[in-house]
C-alpha cells in the first residue's frame, strides 16, 4: 500500500510540474484586458502576446500597444517571444512576430489605431492591398 501511495505521489508531482510549464496563453476574447491600455480584448484580428523568458504572458488588444509597452517599460529580454494574430485567420493560431510580415494601413481601424496587420508571409500580405509597404518586426521597433 505504501508503494502504491508513493507511485501516486510521484505521478501527481510530475503531472503538476508539466502543468506549470510556461507557454503561450490563449486570449480569452471579451474577458482579458490589454496590458498596456487596459481595454478588453475583443478584436481577433489585431491581438498580440508577449511571453517573457520567465514564462509570464502579457496580452494586448493591438500590436501597436505591445510595441508601446516594450518601449515604455524598457523591456529588453532577449529570450522573450512575441506572438501576433494572423489577420487572415482571426481566432486561429498566433504567428511568431519575428517571422510575420506586417502592413500598416489607416483603413484597418485597429482598436488603438496601431493599424498594423500581421500575415504569415509576403504573399499573404500582398493580397491585402496593392499599394502597401511590407514591414517586419525590426522595422516597427
Amino acid at each position: 500500500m505504501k508503494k502504491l501511495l508513493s507511485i501516486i505521489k510521484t505521478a501527481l508531482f510530475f503531472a503538476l510540474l508539466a502543468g506549470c510549464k510556461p507557454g503561450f496563453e490563449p486570449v480569452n476574447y471579451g474577458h482579458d484586458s490589454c496590458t498596456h491600455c487596459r481595454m478588453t480584448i475583443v478584436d481577433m484580428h489585431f491581438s498580440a502576446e508577449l511571453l517573457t523568458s520567465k514564462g509570464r504572458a502579457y496580452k494586448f488588444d493591438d500590436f501597436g500597444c505591445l510595441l508601446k509597452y516594450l518601449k515604455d517599460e524598457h523591456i529588453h529580454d532577449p529570450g522573450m517571444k512575441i506572438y501576433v494574430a494572423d489577420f487572415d485567420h482571426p481566432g486561429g493560431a498566433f504567428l511568431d512576430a519575428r517571422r510575420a510580415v506586417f502592413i500598416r494601413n489607416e483603413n484597418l481601424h485597429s482598436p488603438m489605431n496601431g493599424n498594423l496587420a500581421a500575415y504569415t508571409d509576403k504573399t499573404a500580405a500582398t493580397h491585402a492591398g496593392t499599394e502597401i509597404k511590407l514591414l517586419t518586426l525590426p522595422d516597427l521597433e
Side-chain angles (χ1 to χ4, degrees):
M1 185 67 177
K2 279 186 168 184
K3 190 172 184 174
L4 179 62
L5 191 57
S6 177
I7 291 171
I8 291 172
K9 283 181 181 178
T10 303
L12 186 59
F13 171 77
F14 283 111
L16 290 172
L17 191 62
C20 295
K21 184 178 177 183
F24 179 82
E25 288 183 16
V27 176
N28 189 358
Y29 293 97
H31 297 281
D32 288 341
S33 298
C34 176
T35 299
H36 183 69
C37 71
R38 304 291 180 208
M39 289 181 58
T40 302
I41 303 170
V42 294
D43 194 330
M44 295 180 182
H45 289 92
F46 302 102
S47 55
E49 184 169 315
L50 167 67
L51 184 64
T52 68
S53 59
K54 293 182 179 179
R56 181 152 186 203
Y58 297 91
K59 300 174 185 178
F60 300 89
D61 64 342
D62 187 317
F63 194 68
C65 280
L66 185 148
L67 295 172
K68 289 176 186 173
Y69 183 79
L70 287 173
K71 190 176 285 183
D72 292 350
E73 299 298 322
H74 306 288
I75 296 176
H76 301 286
D77 179 355
M80 72 180 170
K81 296 178 181 174
I82 300 173
Y83 300 98
V84 62
D86 182 349
F87 191 80
D88 280 342
H89 302 97
F94 277 51
L95 305 173
D96 178 345
R98 290 184 173 93
R99 295 183 179 173
V101 175
F102 296 87
I103 63 167
R104 177 177 277 150
N105 188 319
E106 300 304 318
N107 295 326
L108 289 171
H109 305 292
S110 68
M112 295 304 290
N113 293 322
N115 298 326
L116 288 163
Y119 296 89
T120 54
D121 54 33
K122 289 180 181 179
T123 303
T126 53
H127 289 304
T130 56
E131 296 181 23
I132 57 171
K133 181 180 178 187
L134 303 178
L135 304 165
T136 60
L137 185 58
D139 298 325
L140 302 171
E141 292 176 318

